[in-house]
């Protein structure tokens, strides 16, 4: 199906926008065995660019393995996901997967299930536990497989910040780093959706993964590139949008990749042949309505102090929250209370703390709040 705009999932093909420089650099990193850490705000296209680069690797001596560990809740959840994805993605047939398991995981009796749906992926349950395998044995699997197959493996792990949530996380991180940094036939691309947690894992000198690899930051795609993309996608559906309205789509959501595509789709739906101001406004209202349920969840459980802090940001306050005037005007309590508020809201991924001040991370959330506060 030829979709005009895609949001809420990784994009590929003609729905992938720009990222020429970043794609070229990441591809070179993959081809030259460099470890990479991708950091950016949520839904800015990290998964999409990794999948795009994976699709562009044509050298048979390089195999790219992609896994998502979002639902891994503990260390051995991770080892089971890590090993099962390796078994499946380094083989091309079911019999090869089984042979790999017999060769590299001899103490296991795996469970394999096939869905009746023709396009569904095979389900593989390995049952790795502390009783049958030590962590170091599982973490060495990529190197063993790479040597056996005569290839270089690139292991891409999405939602890597989950590692930081495990019990005794520092020990787990030390274990991973200690094994991975010595592998010569494997490199790693680590990324995740929670910017402040990823930053903590990789930029804190006291953390095991400090300076593990090249840090790559995904900036926002330029307005010029977005405008060209939006106009071309409208044209592909026999509709027309002016460059000015396409530019306003970008500016309204501050060039946030997922929201640009979502708002552009809403406006396209409203458009008959040529986009009008009313079509644009209807598209914006549809976006706010689509996100309202999620945003209501965001503010559920927030304290009065936290809501007051958010109201201050919406009113243009980004610094000096501890000043007497700001504390009194917005009823924030004490200076020490402000620090607790910031920490709590950052942990919930609602604010971004930068050298220029404190900002709401989600531009559409800010639009929605301005209507209810």
């Amino acid at each position: 199906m030829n979709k005009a705009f895609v949001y809420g999932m990784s994009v590929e093909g003609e729905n992938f926008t720009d990222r020429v420089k970043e794609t070229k650099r990441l591809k070179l990193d993959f081809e030259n065995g460099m470890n990479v850490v991708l950091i950016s705000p949520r839904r800015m296209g990290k998964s999409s660019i990794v999948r795009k680069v994976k699709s562009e690797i044509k050298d048979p001596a390089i195999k790219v393995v992609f896994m998502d560990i979002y639902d891994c809740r503990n260390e051995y959840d991770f080892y089971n996901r890590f090993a099962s994805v390796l078994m499946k993605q380094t083989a091309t047939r079911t019999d090869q997967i089984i042979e790999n398991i017999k060769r590299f995981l001899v103490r296991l009796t795996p469970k394999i299930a096939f869905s009746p749906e023709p396009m569904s992926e095979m389900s593989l349950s390995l049952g790795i536990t502390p009783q049958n395998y030590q962590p170091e044995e599982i973490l060495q699997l990529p190197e063993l497989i790479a040597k056996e197959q005569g290839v270089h493996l690139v292991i891409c792990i999405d939602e890597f910040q989950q590692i930081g949530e495990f019990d005794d996380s520092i020990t787990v991180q030390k274990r991973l780093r200690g094994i991975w940094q010595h592998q010569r036939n494997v490199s790693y691309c680590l990324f995740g959706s929670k910017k402040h947690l990823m930053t903590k894992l990789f930029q804190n000198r006291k953390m095991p993964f400090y300076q593990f690899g090249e840090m790559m930051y995904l900036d926002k795609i330029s307005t010029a590139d977005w405008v060209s993309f939006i106009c071309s996608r409208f044209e592909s559906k026999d509709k027309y949008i002016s460059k000015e309205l396409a530019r306003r789509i970008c500016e309204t959501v501050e060039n946030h990749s997922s929201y640009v595509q979502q708002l552009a789709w809403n406006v396209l739906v409203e458009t008959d042949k040529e986009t009008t101001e009313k079509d644009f406004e209807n598209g914006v209202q549809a976006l706010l309505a689509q996100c309202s349920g999620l945003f209501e969840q965001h503010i559920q459980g927030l304290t009065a102090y936290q809501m007051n802090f958010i109201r201050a940001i919406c009113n243009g306050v980004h610094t000096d929250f501890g000043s007497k005037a700001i504390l009194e005007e917005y009823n924030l309590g004490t200076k020490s209370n402000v620090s607790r508020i910031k920490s709590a809201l950052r942990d919930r991924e609602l604010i971004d703390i930068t050298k220029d001040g404190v900002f709401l991370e989600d531009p559409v959330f800010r639009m929605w709040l301005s209507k209810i506060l």
Side-chain angles (χ1 to χ4, degrees):
M1 181 183 294
N2 179 24
K3 298 181 180 180
F5 299 100
V6 177
Y7 58 91
M9 63 181 72
S10 61
V11 300
E12 56 188 22
E14 59 189 9
N15 292 110
F16 188 89
T17 317
D18 190 52
R19 298 289 188 211
V20 175
K21 181 177 69 175
E22 296 95 331
T23 300
K24 181 180 179 180
R25 180 56 184 256
L26 190 59
K27 186 168 182 283
L28 283 172
D29 288 336
F30 281 16
E31 291 172 338
N32 289 276
M34 301 293 292
N35 293 327
V36 185
V37 177
L38 283 177
I39 292 183
S40 78
R42 298 182 66 178
R43 292 180 293 181
M44 290 294 287
K46 293 181 290 296
S47 298
S48 297
I49 191 173
V50 172
R51 290 184 183 278
K52 178 177 175 60
V53 171
K54 178 182 178 181
S55 72
E56 291 187 355
I57 299 292
K58 305 303 181 184
D59 186 345
I62 300 173
K63 286 187 177 181
V64 182
V65 173
F66 187 102
M67 66 183 74
D68 188 328
I69 63 168
Y70 176 76
D71 57 347
C72 293
R73 295 293 175 258
N74 57 58
E75 186 178 2
Y76 270 81
D77 276 355
F78 171 73
Y79 296 144
N80 275 280
R81 177 66 49 78
F82 188 75
S84 63
V85 173
L86 274 171
M87 293 298 108
K88 289 192 286 186
Q89 294 191 21
T90 56
T92 56
R93 303 191 311 272
T94 302
D95 60 330
Q96 289 178 331
I97 295 173
I98 295 173
E99 190 59 37
N100 278 349
I101 295 171
K102 290 179 179 178
R103 181 168 180 79
F104 296 109
L105 296 167
V106 295
R107 300 193 292 275
L108 297 180
T109 304
K111 296 179 181 179
I112 300 176
F114 297 90
S115 171
E117 298 294 328
M119 299 303 292
S120 295
E121 192 176 84
M122 176 193 76
S123 173
L124 176 61
S125 178
L126 294 175
I128 298 170
T129 68
Q131 286 70 44
N132 54 37
Y133 274 96
Q134 293 299 306
E136 290 77 11
E137 295 178 277
I138 302 304
L139 296 173
Q140 284 287 13
L141 283 174
E143 183 76 357
L144 296 176
I145 293 171
K147 286 181 178 179
E148 172 77 15
Q149 297 184 358
V151 299
H152 182 89
L153 288 182
V154 182
I155 311 297
C156 304
I157 305 179
D158 197 358
E159 303 297 354
F160 189 78
Q161 77 278 341
Q162 285 299 115
I163 299 291
E165 302 295 312
F166 294 169
D167 291 339
D168 198 11
S169 171
I170 297 299
T171 298
V172 177
Q173 292 175 51
K174 288 179 179 178
R175 187 173 287 138
L176 269 57
R177 170 88 189 237
I179 299 294
W180 290 352
Q181 69 182 351
H182 296 299
Q183 294 176 343
R184 295 294 174 259
N185 299 285
V186 186
S187 55
Y188 293 85
C189 176
L190 309 175
F191 53 107
S193 61
K194 296 186 177 181
K195 179 183 174 183
H196 83 279
L197 292 179
M198 289 292 291
T199 300
K200 178 182 177 181
L201 287 176
F202 293 99
Q203 293 188 317
N204 187 329
R205 292 176 180 270
K206 297 180 181 179
M207 298 298 280
F209 273 97
Y210 179 69
Q211 291 190 334
F212 176 71
E214 176 188 338
M215 303 294 294
M216 180 179 290
Y217 299 88
L218 292 187
D219 294 325
K220 294 177 180 179
I221 295 172
S222 72
T223 299
D225 287 318
W226 272 125
V227 168
S228 176
F229 174 77
I230 292 168
C231 291
S232 68
R233 301 310 292 151
F234 269 69
E235 185 178 350
S236 74
K237 298 300 180 182
D238 296 322
K239 297 185 180 185
Y240 172 79
I241 184 172
S242 68
K243 290 183 178 181
E244 172 59 22
L245 284 176
R247 180 182 61 79
R248 286 178 60 192
I249 287 175
C250 304
E251 293 176 348
T252 299
V253 295
E254 299 178 7
N255 289 34
H256 190 290
S257 296
S258 181
Y259 282 141
V260 169
Q261 299 242 21
Q262 187 171 358
L263 179 54
W265 169 248
N266 288 344
V267 175
L268 179 70
V269 169
E270 295 291 334
T271 300
D272 182 15
K273 284 295 183 182
E274 181 175 342
T275 304
T276 65
E277 179 70 24
K278 184 64 174 177
D279 296 331
F280 171 77
E281 292 174 358
N282 288 341
V284 173
Q285 293 308 309
L287 176 63
L288 292 171
Q290 290 159 356
C291 297
S292 63
L294 175 63
F295 294 159
E296 286 170 2
Q297 291 180 27
H298 283 350
I299 64 174
Q300 280 182 356
L302 294 183
T303 66
Y305 284 132
Q306 290 166 351
M307 286 301 299
N308 290 343
F309 190 89
I310 287 174
R311 181 164 59 87
I313 296 175
C314 289
N315 288 344
V317 179
H318 302 292
T319 59
D320 298 324
F321 290 94
S323 69
K324 182 178 180 181
I326 299 298
L327 289 174
E328 291 180 353
E329 180 178 357
Y330 291 98
N331 186 23
L332 298 177
T334 63
K335 287 185 178 180
S336 60
N337 193 46
V338 168
S339 296
R340 290 191 291 271
I341 293 170
K342 286 182 181 180
S343 179
L345 294 178
R346 184 188 59 190
D347 289 345
R348 294 183 68 149
E349 297 288 314
L350 296 182
I351 63 171
D352 189 20
I353 302 175
T354 73
K355 60 181 178 61
D356 297 318
V358 183
F359 300 86
L360 289 173
E361 193 166 85
D362 188 321
V364 180
F365 182 45
R366 184 169 63 251
M367 290 170 56
W368 181 79
L369 284 167
S370 68
K371 296 182 178 298
I372 68 166
L373 291 179

